[in-house]
Amino acid sequence: MTINSIFLMVLTGLQLGAIYALIALGLTLIFGTLGVVNFAHGALYLIAAYCAVFAAQSLGFGLAIVLVPIILFIFGIAMERGLIRFFYQRPHTDQILVTFGIAIVVEEVLKWMFGANNIPFALPSWGAGQVLFYGLGANVPAAIPGIRVPMPFLEGFAFFPAWRLLLIIVTAVTIFALFALLQFTRFGLVLRAGMRDPEMLRFLGVNVTIRFSILFGIGAMIAGIAGVFGGPVTQVSPTVGMALLVPSFLVVVIGGMGSMLGALVAALLLGMASSFTTGFAAAVGDPTAKMALTALQQIVVYLVAVVVLLIRPRGLFGKKGIFE
Amino acid sequence: MKLTDKHLTRRGLLKAGAATSLVLAAPLHFVRGAWAQEKAIGTFPAGTSGSSVKYGFIVPQTGAYADEGADELRAYQLAVKHLNGGGGMLETMKPLSLKGNGVLGKKVEYVTGDTQTNPDAARQAAQRAIERDKVIMFSGGSSSAVAVAQQYLAQDKGVIFMDALTHSNDTTGKDRRRYGFRHFFNAYQSGIALGPILAERYGKDRRAFHLTADYTWGHTQYESIRDATEKQGWTTVNNIMTPLGAPDFSQYLTAAINSDADVLILNHYGKDMVNSLTQAVQFGMRDMQKNGRNIEVVVPLYSELMAKGAGDNIAGVLGTANFNEKLDDPGSAAFIKAFTDEYGFPPSQAAQTAYVQTLLYSNAVEQAGTFYPPEVIKALEGAEIEGIGPGKALYRAEDHQCFHDILVVEGKAPSDRQNQYDLLKIVKQVPREEVTYPADIPAFGGKDAQLGAYEPSA
């Protein structure tokens, strides 16, 4: 295995983790603050991806990037005001049932409107193509187009899709922005206080309700960002929401329910685990080891979950008393 | 009860043996007329006593293959319309016993069910159609896992099942059943048809990397294409099984890029194929070079619906198909015209096989002069029919696989398309003789593969 293959596997792991992280982030944010297990989060991703396809086709990709998160923000607030708020005081099982129900309705409505097969979601021309990474003294032919990034440890050069690198960057920026919002703003301060003791805040005359509603909207908005940037990668079909929800929920559980840092670490862990077991399965020569690794790459995500939860039942960064 | 009470005594064993050999020695011919009493089998005669008969169309209405299911259902409805009122392939099919006044003078009606692209749900839906609606035949399916499950149910119940979309070798291989018939082609035939063309286009010393859907169809597809390409001199570098419905294939594509393979073969169907192909293009695999040659991507099983989903990425990608809406033989033309007139767009290959299967079954009933399943099965076995597609089709008696010409197709570049349905072009029509193989080869279960009895034991 060369240094170049390992480098590509790391990038792949980061990118796989990025999609999980973006979806898990919204899930864990809503759970950590509002205490609601939102199984409709995959459906929010789905709505975002479908909106993005049509916005990109009619208005251009640039506008889709701006519009779709706003649409999802509004949708999120409407969902919180119209349905979710009635479930704050109900048990988690009720919340799961109602949000899972929403997920099924959204999936079937989209299937009814646009069919069960994929809708092509092409990359914008500025986001297509490859980024070229080159090592020291590499002789890169001048004819190869696209962005070039020096990477001194590489032998020769290697490519990675530009859009997937962008996805990694967008995820990093989103996480940082969310962290800053909660940690360094007055809004974040009130929210964190509201999570501790909403009643006391109400006595002090703070309108917690509206802030909770906005927070739910932000969670949906992150699903919107995931839909616009992840849609061209995962493609757009009615089942993709559920296909992403399961590993993303796993990320939340492995990271520790409600922990944002945990979700980030767990997403990276799962991404790297998928990427490296597949990479090793392809690279290994011994037939028995190959068979074992090929089987392993299909279940590695769940295996990691089992091991982590056996050692740390509350997840990597889980706190006592949450979801117990 | 003591356990020993259950044991057969030596005397009992002898008696049972004698009885069995007596039964076996009796002439078990079901030649029409010679077998005066038709026994009750499955829904016969209960399902045929009225002035109409019911067919059961069990297709995926929800789940991953719902679009294929919807197109199958359109074709079934059209077939019923033609059976009752004439038209379509009833004007081209030879030999033809159907008269366009129903089947054996009985009006054809139908019930539908949902397989949910899930073998358990499919069995339940079929069971309901058989027990509640007394369907005399059922058809449908858009997954080999479903088709195989339905064939076993058909054999248990004694109700004939006409497979629709199923491409796994197992359907007419190790899982072949007396009560199951497949008109669609299979993975092995895809290999025979595609191998020489791949070698001709891309050279004889290519190195292939396979990604394979992890279920019965994917496995037989991989083995068939691997054998066919290795016969042409290709090397198989690697094969990785991918879970069904994976949203992101980047780890698999990275593994392919990291290898020394210069051809990527995607043994995927439906959404998996659309995703893996689209993402391979995003990874620049169509513009990349390995071993001094362009990397090529191959999709062994193509469908119009998949081509639509993959958009511009199919340009120049080779694969195989059972049918294409540009075929101009009289049978295909009649069907395409009738379908397009009815629905406003051309039929997919899922629709074509569903339509033909319904007609083939009905024609066999008319020819046998009875709905009695063993007679209908015999009429289908070895039947050679013209006017249901290019050339003559043969329903082989040994394994119930229908043999006919199949197609090697290539995705069209957006600039070559006449309209939104014009996605694939026919590279070669491979004659039936070239895609015929012995029924007992290992890929199809070898000598152990048996169809089972004409009369189900139940």
Side-chain angles (χ1 to χ4, degrees):
Chain A
M1 192 164 281
T2 64
I3 184 79
N4 286 22
S5 351
I6 293 171
F7 173 68
L8 285 182
M9 276 152 64
V10 169
L11 284 183
T12 305
L14 274 176
Q15 178 253 301
L16 284 169
I19 294 190
Y20 295 153
L22 265 185
I23 296 174
L25 202 60
L27 263 178
T28 206
L29 176 72
I30 291 171
F31 180 79
T33 50
L34 306 178
V36 174
V37 184
N38 183 18
F39 266 52
H41 208 71
L44 292 175
Y45 174 89
L46 206 54
I47 293 171
Y50 274 88
C51 285
V53 173
F54 294 107
Q57 274 170 7
S58 51
L59 306 166
F61 217 106
L63 266 177
I65 290 173
V66 181
L67 269 181
V68 173
I70 296 175
I71 295 172
L72 265 288
F73 178 72
I74 296 166
F75 189 88
I77 288 181
M79 187 172 153
E80 195 269 347
R81 284 290 91 192
L83 195 64
I84 303 297
R85 70 185 168 113
F86 302 110
F87 287 83
Y88 286 149
Q89 305 306 327
R90 306 267 290 260
H92 287 310
T93 41
D94 287 12
Q95 298 168 353
I96 291 175
L97 283 175
V98 73
T99 50
F100 198 72
I102 296 173
I104 294 172
V105 169
V106 168
E107 185 176 325
E108 290 303 320
V109 165
L110 288 171
K111 194 180 289 173
W112 171 65
M113 287 168 71
F114 305 108
N117 277 321
N118 304 52
I119 295 180
F121 192 176
L123 292 172
S125 52
W126 49 263
Q130 317 292 313
V131 171
L132 188 151
F133 297 92
Y134 61 96
L136 279 178
N139 186 17
V140 183
I144 298 177
I147 305 164
R148 294 168 182 217
V149 181
M151 220 27 96
F153 53 84
L154 288 184
E155 298 158 10
F157 51 90
F159 297 97
F160 200 76
W163 188 261
R164 285 163 197 256
L165 289 173
L166 184 64
L167 183 67
I168 298 172
I169 295 166
V170 166
T171 306
V173 170
T174 309
I175 291 169
F176 181 77
L178 185 67
F179 178 76
L181 177 78
L182 289 179
Q183 220 61 35
F184 304 129
T185 65
R186 201 182 158 75
F187 176 79
L189 188 71
V190 174
L191 264 182
R192 281 182 290 138
M195 279 148 61
R196 284 268 182 83
D197 194 344
E199 212 142 321
M200 191 62 203
L201 271 192
R202 285 201 182 94
F203 286 144
L204 293 172
V206 180
N207 188 346
V208 184
T209 313
I210 193 163
R211 287 184 171 80
F212 277 3
S213 185
I214 289 172
L215 189 82
F216 197 92
I218 292 174
M221 191 169 86
I222 298 174
I225 296 170
V228 184
F229 288 95
V233 169
T234 62
Q235 293 300 297
V236 182
S237 78
T239 47
V240 73
M242 215 50 105
L244 284 173
L245 179 75
V246 176
S248 302
F249 192 71
L250 220 52
V251 161
V252 173
V253 174
I254 294 173
M257 297 291 294
S259 162
M260 236 164 286
L261 179 65
L264 182 62
V265 173
L268 285 179
L269 191 65
L270 292 193
M272 290 297 170
S274 295
S275 174
F276 275 84
T277 40
T278 310
F280 285 131
V284 78
D286 178 53
T288 325
K290 180 182 214 69
M291 230 167 77
L293 279 169
T294 308
L296 182 67
Q297 57 90 4
Q298 291 207 39
I299 55 156
V300 68
V301 171
Y302 304 97
L303 199 66
V304 170
V306 169
V307 172
V308 169
L309 293 182
L310 274 178
I311 298 169
R312 294 184 65 89
R314 292 191 190 102
L316 294 172
F317 295 87
K319 292 195 188 82
K320 198 174 175 183
I322 291 181
F323 208 67
E324 278 175 359
Chain B
M1 188 169 46
K2 277 194 297 183
L3 202 63
T4 43
D5 290 348
K6 280 186 181 168
H7 285 184
L8 276 175
T9 60
R10 193 179 61 88
R11 192 176 298 267
L13 194 67
L14 277 175
K15 276 186 198 159
T20 313
S21 45
L22 257 179
V23 171
L24 284 177
L28 279 175
H29 305 290
F30 293 105
V31 183
R32 178 137 70 109
W35 190 260
Q37 293 146 314
E38 292 176 336
K39 306 198 310 187
I41 292 181
T43 50
F44 178 88
T48 58
S49 51
S51 60
S52 64
V53 287
K54 280 202 186 91
Y55 292 171
F57 300 135
I58 319 293
V59 301
Q61 294 174 334
T62 54
Y65 297 143
D67 287 1
E68 281 83 353
D71 220 35
E72 285 175 11
L73 203 52
R74 288 183 200 109
Y76 285 128
Q77 286 161 343
L78 190 66
V80 167
K81 185 178 164 189
H82 291 164
L83 285 173
N84 288 329
M89 280 189 191
L90 258 62
E91 284 157 14
T92 58
M93 200 167 158
K94 274 183 285 193
L96 181 76
S97 306
L98 293 165
K99 300 173 191 72
N101 64 345
V103 177
L104 291 180
K106 291 179 195 289
K107 186 167 181 280
V108 178
E109 292 170 349
Y110 64 90
V111 295
T112 63
D114 185 3
T115 70
Q116 300 170 25
T117 324
N118 168 338
D120 290 331
R123 277 177 73 98
Q124 276 174 26
Q127 222 151 357
R128 204 156 44 234
I130 291 168
E131 280 156 18
R132 187 189 63 193
D133 303 308
K134 302 276 178 287
V135 298
I136 191 70
M137 172 279 274
F138 66 117
S139 181
S142 176
S143 149
S144 290
V146 168
V148 167
Q150 298 290 52
Q151 288 199 154
Y152 278 93
L153 180 76
Q155 188 78 22
D156 281 352
K157 296 279 175 189
V159 180
I160 293 172
F161 176 64
M162 304 297 281
D163 291 278
L165 264 194
T166 161
H167 187 249
S168 170
N169 293 345
D170 293 345
T171 311
T172 48
K174 75 176 173 59
D175 295 313
R176 66 180 74 156
R177 300 278 76 198
R178 183 71 65 191
Y179 276 72
F181 287 86
R182 166 162 70 179
H183 165 263
F184 206 68
F185 73 139
N186 58 48
Y188 189 80
Q189 294 179 305
S190 286
I192 304 177
L194 201 52
I197 290 182
L198 289 178
E200 192 184 299
R201 280 270 185 107
Y202 303 144
K204 285 190 172 286
D205 51 351
R206 285 288 192 155
R207 301 176 62 76
F209 196 108
H210 290 253
L211 297 183
T212 299
D214 197 8
Y215 75 110
T216 166
W217 169 73
H219 292 218
T220 66
Q221 177 71 80
Y222 160 65
E223 283 156 18
S224 300
I225 297 293
R226 178 197 61 199
D227 294 349
T229 50
E230 285 181 356
K231 216 170 132 191
Q232 300 292 331
W234 287 24
T235 312
T236 306
V237 176
N238 224 322
N239 173 46
I240 297 189
M241 298 290 176
T242 64
L244 264 184
D248 195 341
F249 286 87
S250 55
Q251 69 267 45
Y252 308 111
L253 295 167
T254 303
I257 288 173
N258 280 336
S259 76
D260 63 345
D262 49 33
V263 178
L264 175 68
I265 299 181
L266 301 172
N267 299 306
H268 287 148
Y269 188 73
K271 281 196 213 50
D272 279 356
M273 174 263 163
V274 173
N275 269 3
S276 59
L277 176 61
T278 306
Q279 295 179 17
V281 173
Q282 287 177 359
F283 265 86
M285 293 191 78
R286 307 284 315 273
D287 314 312
M288 234 177 243
Q289 290 207 330
K290 273 272 167 74
N291 313 328
R293 282 178 299 197
N294 288 332
I295 294 188
E296 303 293 347
V297 181
V298 178
V299 175
L301 177 61
Y302 243 127
S303 88
E304 300 82 350
L305 295 166
M306 280 149 54
K308 205 166 113 193
D312 300 347
N313 301 317
I314 56 163
V317 175
L318 284 171
T320 59
N322 198 51
F323 167 82
N324 184 281
E325 79 283 352
K326 279 180 232 41
L327 284 172
D328 56 1
D329 62 277
S332 301
F335 169 61
I336 294 160
K337 185 178 181 312
F339 191 98
T340 312
D341 286 351
E342 188 87 11
Y343 301 112
F345 49 88
S348 67
Q349 61 180 353
Q352 191 257 359
T353 201
Y355 178 87
V356 169
Q357 283 281 67
T358 314
L359 259 50
L360 284 175
Y361 168 83
S362 308
N363 197 46
V365 170
E366 196 83 38
Q367 199 189 335
T370 172
F371 284 99
Y372 185 55
E375 288 289 334
V376 180
I377 292 171
K378 291 207 160 146
L380 276 168
E381 286 177 342
E384 196 161 43
I385 309 109
E386 237 178 309
I388 54 168
K392 268 188 185 173
L394 169 74
Y395 243 128
R396 184 157 70 183
E398 288 88 343
D399 56 1
H400 292 188
Q401 173 69 48
C402 189
F403 290 87
H404 48 76
D405 296 3
I406 67 168
L407 308 171
V408 174
V409 291
E410 182 181 354
K412 280 192 171 183
S415 52
D416 297 340
R417 295 176 192 165
Q418 313 285 335
N419 57 53
Q420 58 166 320
Y421 305 109
D422 184 25
L423 300 166
L424 302 173
K425 84 174 162 221
I426 300 173
V427 175
K428 190 184 173 194
Q429 184 172 321
V430 187
R432 172 179 131 193
E433 295 71 33
E434 280 182 33
V435 290
T436 302
Y437 52 85
D440 57 359
I441 56 174
F444 288 83
K447 303 230 182 281
D448 296 334
Q450 296 295 330
L451 281 166
Y454 283 94
E455 286 180 78
S457 48

